[in-house]
Amino acid sequence: MSFVPPGSGWPDDPATPETPVAHDPAEVAELAGACRTLGELTARQSVCRACPRLVAWREEVATVKRRAFAEETYWGRPIAGWGSEEPRLLIVGLAPAAHGGNRTGRIFTGDRSGDWLFASLHRTGWAAQETSTYAGDGQELLGARMLASVRCAPPANKPLPEERAACFPWLVREVELVAGSTRVIVALGGFAWQALWPALREAGYALPKARPPFGHGEEVDLRYGEAAVKLIGCYHPSQQNTFTGRVTAPMLDQIFRRAAEV
């Protein structure tokens, strides 16, 4: 089996064998729009098969595996949003890693980017543990929620425009469902920053007329109804960024401490 069947006992699996499956972009829009709860939405996200290239890649990776993880079972399915159902902080990234979330079943978990991210979230009070290694490991986000703009691991970490468009309704609906409690949004990287603007607009946020360029620590004031919301840019803690020093632990801590202040 090249993926974990829904309802087969994987920790925190939100889906069951009866969960509806989207097989094309039109069905993604239909199924996402009909969701009334986060549980329903994450279940449907986690079994999506709308993008043939991404489905083939994530399942090939789950079959071939990396040598270091050859004895492990890979999740091999889309990575649903995860964390608090009424978050104050929303953290948005690009897509899961082939041997990270695609292996462990949880966003930002099981790779070096996640190691940096969760360590910072723990230091700044947003995560219960400093590490996140696998779904069901006891990790918990405290008043925060994570999601990705694209839910499947893409080849070379580069989803195609049509794949980003197909996944867009999942992003919009999740942003909508948590908008009532969200007061700060952190975009990890320029792609997440770009993907968020149309999603926020579709979800009912009031945005400035001009989109500011992405930057580390860049802040934008938004509104959702009567509530003030802050959007903050953060360099992605990718291996390239952390190895070169473009991102450091104090830089990440600065962002999430600022989120706590907001």
Side-chain angles (χ1 to χ4, degrees), residues 37-160:
T37 67
L38 280 172
E40 189 176 35
L41 180 69
T42 56
R44 294 178 179 188
Q45 289 172 350
S46 77
V47 295
C48 183
R49 302 184 67 83
C51 300
R53 187 182 80 114
L54 297 187
V55 171
W57 172 251
R58 77 190 191 210
E59 294 181 6
E60 177 185 345
V61 168
T63 301
V64 176
K65 307 180 183 180
R66 179 173 284 173
R67 182 178 298 177
F69 310 121
E71 302 304 316
E72 295 188 19
T73 299
Y74 274 52
W75 171 251
R77 284 165 45 195
I79 308 302
W82 177 76
S84 171
E85 294 198 355
E86 295 184 347
R88 291 173 288 123
L89 167 63
L90 195 61
I91 303 167
V92 183
L94 167 57
H99 302 280
N102 190 57
R103 172 176 62 89
T104 65
R106 181 194 289 159
I107 187 169
F108 289 118
T109 295
D111 58 25
R112 290 184 177 179
S113 295
D115 293 344
W116 279 73
L117 179 59
F118 276 98
S120 180
L121 292 172
H122 179 66
R123 289 191 298 267
T124 54
W126 294 106
Q129 301 175 179
E130 65 179 352
T131 61
S132 181
T133 56
Y134 224 88
D137 63 358
Q139 179 62 282
E140 181 182 1
L141 290 177
L142 308 175
R145 187 173 186 84
M146 295 177 167
L147 58 147
S149 306
V150 174
R151 307 303 166 112
C152 293
N157 291 322
K158 293 181 179 179
L160 300 176

Side-chain angles (χ1 to χ4, degrees), residues 195-232:
L196 266 170
W197 284 88
L200 292 168
R201 184 178 295 109
E202 288 285 329
Y205 281 80
L207 308 179
K209 292 182 179 179
R211 181 191 305 178
F214 170 75
H216 187 82
E218 180 71 37
E219 296 188 9
V220 182
D221 292 319
L222 314 174
R223 296 202 70 83
Y224 184 78
E226 297 299 314
V229 181
K230 187 81 72 176
L231 172 63
I232 305 176

Side-chain angles (χ1 to χ4, degrees), residues 243-259:
F243 274 16
T244 60
R246 190 183 191 203
V247 173
T248 64
M251 289 173 66
L252 289 177
D253 292 356
Q254 173 194 16
I255 295 295
F256 293 112
R257 288 197 178 101
R258 175 61 179 149

